[in-house]
Every structure is written in C-alpha cells, then in structure tokens.
Amino acid sequence: MPGSPATRYPDLYLLLLTLAAVLIVYLWSMPRTVVLEDDGFFILAAWFNGIAHPPGYPLFTTLGHFASQVPFFTPAMRVHFLSAVFGALSCVVLWLIIYQLIRDRFLATTGALTLSVSTIFWSQAIIAEVYTLNCFLFLTLLYFCLKLRDSGMMHLGKGSLLIVAFVFGLGLANHWPLFLLASPAFIPLLWPKRRQIIQAWPVLLSGLILGLLPYAWMVYRSQMQPEISFHGPIDDLKDFWFYLSRKPYTTTDISPSAGLEDKLRFILFHFRELVSQYGPFGWLFVMAGFVGQWRWKDKSLPVALILAYLGNSLVLILLLGFDYDRFHQAVFSVYPLTAYAIGVIWLCAGVYMIRELPCSGKLPTYLSRNLVYPAAVLVLATAFMANAADNYRARDTWAEDYARVLLFPLEQDSILFANGDPVLGPVSYLTMIKKVRTDIRLYNDKAVLLPDRLYDPISVKNLVLSETVNKFVLSADKPVYYTNYLPHGFGIEDFGLLKRMLVDKPDNFRRTTLVQTYLDYIEHILELPTLQDRWERMHRQLLLTN
C-alpha cells in the first residue's frame, strides 16, 4: 500500500503549517476596512471587475474580483485576503528555495516566516496591493530556474519550459516594470542550457502568450463600460499603449527638479530601509550571507541573486526621477519587495555560516551547530516584535472615518468632486460598495476611476479644466462641492475639509463657514497618538495645514 502523504512528501505538512501560520498572522493584523495608498482603487476595480490604474494590473484585478465574491469578511477584507494569500504563498516558495540551497528545514522555515513579518512585506500582504503577487511569481520562476539548472533537460522537458514562460507572462501581466527589472536574474541560471532553450522557442512563445492573456481580457472588459474603469474604454493600440506605458504617471516618475543628489539620498534611504526590515539583528546576517555566498561552488547563483536585488532597488532608483521628499519615499518604499525576499536568502545563508566557525578555530563544533537554531529564532522573534506594532491594523479605520465625516454634512443629492487619492479611494468605497450616501454623485478633476466623467482623459487635448467645470456647474442645478483644488470661476464657501461653489458670487468671493462635525474631527485627529502608517501621517499633516 502507498505511504501516507507525510511519508511520500515529508515536507508537505511543514509547508502547510508555514502557510497556515502566515495566514493567521495576516488575518489577525489586516485592516477590516479601506485604507490609504491604492487600497481603495484596487478594491473598487476588483469588486466591479473593472480596470485599475495604469498599467491596469489585469491579473490581480481579475483574481481580486473572484476574491470579492467570497461570502466572508467585509468587502475590503476579501481583497486584502487575496494579498495575504499571495504573501503566504511567497513564503512557501521561499522555503523551497532556501531548502534547495541550504538543505536545512529549520532555517528554511524560520527564513520563510521572517519574510512574512518583515516590515514592508507584511504591510503589503494585508492590504489590496499587487506587490505580494509580484513577489510570488518572481520567486516561483526563480525556483523553476533553479530546478532547470540542477536537473537534466530531458527530465524537465518542454512542459517545464512552458510553465516557466507562462509564469513569466503572468508576471508581466501583474506588474511588468518591477518584474522585468528583476528578470536578468534568470540569465546566469539558464545560461548553460541556452541552446536547448532557444531551440524550444515555440513552446516558450506559447507559454508567454498564455501568460499575457489577462491584458486581452482587460481590453475586452474595458469595452463593456464597467462601473470602475480608471481611464475609460481602451479603443485602439494607442489607448492600450497609454495604459501599458504608464504615460499618465510620467510627471510622477520623472520630476524636472530631481537630480543626482536625490538619487544618492534615495540609495541611502533604501539601505536604511533594508536594515529595518528584519528586526535589530537580521541585517547583520544579511551582510554575512551576502559576503559568504561567494564561497558557493556555483557562482551563477550569487550573480542571479544580486541581479534580482539590484533590479528592484538601485537600478530602479537610477531609472526613476523622484524628488527626495516624504511622498516619494512612501511611494518608493514598497517597490523593493522582491529585493527584501532576496535579502532573506542571504540572511539564512549568514545564519548557516555559524556552522563553519569551527573551521576557523573560533568555536567548538558542538557549540556552533547548536547556535544556528537559536540565532534563527532570535532573528524571527525580534523581527516580529519590531514590526508588529506598525503592521497591526485590525482597528485601523482612519480612511473610512475621514470619508464618513466628509460625506455626512453634504446636502441631499449633492455633487462632490473627490480630488486626491486620500479622498477618491475611501469616498468611492463608501458610496459605491458600502452604499453610504448613495444620493451623492461623485466626480474627479482628472476624470479617473469613476463612471461619471467631464471628459475623456485619454483622448482629450488642450483641456481648459476651468471652462469645462464652469459649464458643468451651471448646467447641474445642484450643490457642487470639491476637496483640495479645482479651477473654476465662482465664489467659494469654505467648510475646511471641503468647499462649495457659489454660482451667484464672483470668483473673488470667499466665505468661511464652521461645521461642527468637521471641527470635532479636526480636534479628534489632533489628540491621536503618532500614526504608524506613512500615508496616514502625511494625510493628517495635510488636513491640519489646509
């Protein structure tokens, strides 16, 4: 009779326990409602099976739509949980990679768990974001390339190459810029088998096309006029390139004022972030493992790991033209997620090097072998304790509270221009998914995300926004409010958190009206302790200075 699963697959139960442990931590800590960053945008795109912001992220939004239909949790948590699943699966694949390199189950387990509770990885695994899926696909492809390197071509066959190409295509269909930047890591691993791989190009092309099919679905779905479509229908190749190339974010990615000093400061910022990822001691073992990897017999592996790390960190910094400010620090901080996963491989290699200390005469053999496991546990435990406070967000209601306060005093059947990411995502989530104040019609000054648009953001040229807004307001015959800034030619009644246009007043007229609900809210956020989330800290500062 065949053996039990535990006998036939000795690591299966250990992998399942790792998966379960990570998911339990993420469920315990994840927000129950919408938060800032792009969380609201992805929840909305998933819920309505729509199109997210460029480059569209069709793989994540399609999977998110299925997740949003699960009859458990809140609508926000359903999509948060999708990120958690891919975060946990990333840890499982990392377990396999570490074990293949080091052959130590205990280190593989503690390494996988350390990634799960590292600062940035944990933060992205509990909200609706694409980065854990990107990490999972990259690590999966890295694992397959390691298997290709270590196995004969006849053993793996064309089916394995088809899987490799398919996963590569899926990676491009999720977050192509980050995935592509890390892809040079696969070249040194596959270089010895380059002739066989080139000969199998029809198989590779077929797998790649299959992996890219989510983009075809994105274009097709955009023609159905879904309720959430960030820039509207994709009508031709020009529109598709507009999405794929992230053209709307050109001014965000490249700032005219950014220079070499900004890049150097971002490099230092990144290394400070690296030091903080794995608790107070983890970075020491990362450095030790980075140095010690060159002692491995196969030098293609350290080259691959370094290329992967650099692609999503220093190379990305050199390509981006970010000003070194708090906003761009927050934007950039999540990009090196794959690099931090590579850091865990080095971390485990560094811990494993304790075994080699007897060779140098520094420690007796029995002591060095027994120190490996306490060192690994120390790193894991201190990483969890250092990062839990920042990432425990089960009671985080900042974004929803703000959106509710903003909507509450508005007149019946009002029009609100929800301008700015901290407003647009949370307010749209409340009105369109939670069905709060459904009488209010939402617009955006950039004509993005929402079904009601003043203009087509893709095709329109030489738009004079103030003229478009003026015509719309005069024809609306309803109270029109807006947050932040909106050009127009009317007087203003300023309520603090938002403003109302007064069509019967000249554009130099300004009246300030105190709303008790808004005053109470400002007093409340003044009394709050230091906020853990970067985006919430910036948002609070913005509210208090306006």
Side-chain angles (χ1 to χ4, degrees):
M1 293 182 64
S4 66
T7 303
R8 287 179 286 133
Y9 307 103
D11 299 322
L12 177 61
Y13 287 165
L14 190 54
L15 289 172
L16 290 175
L17 284 172
T18 301
L19 181 73
V22 175
L23 286 177
I24 288 170
V25 170
Y26 289 162
L27 274 172
W28 164 73
S29 58
M30 75 172 51
R32 273 50 179 164
T33 185
V34 67
V35 295
L36 300 183
E37 296 185 59
D38 291 336
D39 187 63
F41 298 157
F42 281 120
I43 294 171
L44 286 156
W47 185 267
F48 292 104
N49 198 12
I51 316 300
H53 59 282
Y57 311 101
L59 180 60
F60 182 85
T61 53
T62 302
L63 295 173
H65 180 64
F66 290 116
S68 70
Q69 306 306 303
V70 175
F72 306 107
F73 313 130
T74 65
M77 278 188 73
R78 296 173 193 176
V79 191
H80 294 171
F81 187 68
L82 180 69
S83 294
V85 167
F86 285 115
L89 289 174
S90 298
C91 296
V92 168
V93 179
L94 185 66
W95 191 104
L96 294 171
I97 292 171
I98 294 171
Y99 181 69
Q100 183 163 340
L101 300 178
I102 299 176
R103 295 295 172 182
D104 188 302
R105 291 180 176 85
F106 188 86
L107 276 183
T109 304
T110 52
L113 294 176
T114 298
L115 175 65
S116 73
V117 297
S118 59
T119 306
I120 300 298
F121 192 92
W122 190 348
S123 74
Q124 298 305 293
I126 57 175
I127 64 173
E129 268 292 2
V130 298
Y131 300 108
T132 56
L133 175 55
N134 179 69
C135 192
F136 166 68
L137 292 170
F138 174 81
L139 292 176
T140 299
L141 196 53
L142 179 63
Y143 177 69
F144 270 105
C145 288
L146 288 172
K147 298 292 287 185
L148 265 171
R149 180 199 65 165
D150 297 338
S151 303
M153 202 66 174
M154 295 301 294
H155 174 69
L156 288 174
K158 293 182 178 180
S160 295
L161 288 176
L162 181 69
I163 293 173
V164 166
F166 177 64
V167 174
F168 188 84
L170 290 179
L172 297 180
N174 178 56
H175 197 308
W176 71 261
L178 291 182
F179 200 84
L180 212 54
L181 283 171
S183 295
F186 308 129
I187 296 175
L189 297 178
L190 299 179
W191 187 255
K193 301 181 184 294
R194 58 191 180 279
R195 287 192 178 89
Q196 299 98 313
I197 292 173
I198 291 173
Q199 291 171 0
W201 70 266
V203 174
L204 295 173
L205 182 61
S206 300
L208 180 64
I209 291 172
L210 287 173
L212 292 173
L213 283 180
Y215 279 118
W217 166 251
M218 181 180 78
V219 174
Y220 176 72
R221 179 61 180 161
S222 76
Q223 297 296 313
M224 300 181 186
Q225 301 291 337
E227 195 158 358
I228 292 296
S229 184
F230 203 82
H231 281 292
I234 303 172
D235 294 323
D236 49 36
L237 286 175
K238 184 180 178 181
D239 290 351
F240 180 68
W241 180 246
F242 180 87
Y243 259 86
L244 193 66
S245 64
R246 300 181 79 252
K247 188 175 180 180
Y249 298 116
T250 302
T251 56
T252 302
D253 292 344
I254 306 294
S255 171
S257 60
L260 179 60
E261 182 182 354
D262 294 280
K263 295 183 186 296
L264 293 175
R265 294 175 74 180
F266 262 110
I267 290 172
L268 292 175
F269 169 78
H270 167 68
F271 283 119
R272 289 198 302 270
E273 290 277 285
L274 173 65
V275 168
S276 67
Q277 291 309 301
Y278 320 108
F281 306 109
W283 67 275
L284 295 170
F285 292 105
V286 172
M287 297 300 104
F290 177 81
V291 174
Q293 68 181 333
W294 296 107
R295 302 170 67 178
W296 295 341
K297 184 177 180 180
D298 186 350
K299 296 300 187 289
S300 67
L301 181 58
V303 171
L305 296 179
I306 290 172
L307 288 174
Y309 183 91
L310 292 177
N312 280 176
S313 57
L314 303 191
V315 173
L316 183 59
I317 290 173
L318 295 177
L319 292 175
L320 292 171
F322 281 179
D323 289 311
Y324 187 75
D325 53 36
R326 288 195 303 167
F327 171 75
H328 287 99
Q329 289 171 31
V331 171
F332 175 79
S333 64
V334 299
Y335 290 163
L337 212 65
T338 298
Y340 297 143
I342 299 299
V344 174
I345 297 176
W346 289 329
L347 187 154
C348 291
V351 173
Y352 193 76
M353 285 174 61
I354 296 175
R355 287 178 176 270
E356 300 178 5
L357 291 178
C359 299
S360 61
K362 295 180 180 179
L363 284 176
T365 302
Y366 74 89
L367 184 58
S368 65
R369 289 181 176 175
N370 290 330
L371 278 177
V372 168
Y373 303 119
V377 172
L378 176 67
V379 170
L380 173 59
T382 54
F384 177 83
M385 290 186 290
N387 300 330
D390 286 349
N391 286 302
Y392 178 73
R393 304 184 67 181
R395 296 175 182 153
D396 187 348
T397 59
W398 172 273
E400 180 171 333
D401 289 346
Y402 168 68
R404 286 184 181 275
V405 168
L406 199 66
L407 293 170
F408 179 76
L410 297 186
E411 299 172 57
Q412 189 75 15
D413 299 321
S414 296
I415 292 171
L416 173 63
F417 279 83
N419 301 332
D421 292 356
V423 184
L424 184 57
V427 167
S428 300
Y429 173 79
L430 275 189
T431 58
M432 301 178 71
I433 296 180
K434 297 290 288 286
K435 302 302 181 183
V436 175
R437 292 302 305 265
T438 54
D439 59 294
I440 294 173
R441 289 184 63 185
L442 296 179
Y443 288 81
N444 177 260
D445 60 335
K446 295 186 173 88
V448 297
L449 189 74
L450 303 168
D452 291 323
R453 307 175 195 269
L454 296 188
Y455 57 92
D456 182 349
I458 297 181
S459 62
V460 70
K461 294 182 180 179
N462 303 319
L463 172 73
V464 180
L465 184 57
S466 59
E467 294 181 3
T468 303
V469 171
N470 289 345
K471 291 178 182 178
F472 170 76
V473 174
L474 289 173
S475 64
D477 195 28
K478 292 180 180 179
V480 180
Y481 296 84
Y482 65 94
T483 60
N484 301 320
Y485 174 74
L486 185 67
H488 60 85
F490 307 111
I492 297 172
E493 185 173 12
D494 192 341
F495 298 99
L497 293 184
L498 49 72
K499 303 172 182 67
R500 178 183 175 182
M501 296 184 201
L502 302 175
V503 295
D504 59 342
K505 301 293 182 182
D507 59 1
N508 61 352
F509 180 85
R510 186 184 187 97
R511 179 170 65 217
T512 300
T513 301
L514 300 179
V515 178
Q516 191 60 45
T517 302
Y518 294 166
L519 292 175
D520 292 342
Y521 177 72
I522 295 298
E523 184 177 348
H524 167 68
I525 65 174
L526 277 169
E527 296 173 350
L528 287 176
T530 302
L531 298 169
Q532 302 300 325
D533 181 66
R534 279 178 170 148
W535 294 97
E536 291 176 2
R537 288 199 299 269
M538 286 192 293
H539 188 214
R540 178 167 70 171
Q541 185 63 32
L542 180 65
L543 293 176
L544 295 178
T545 54
N546 284 346

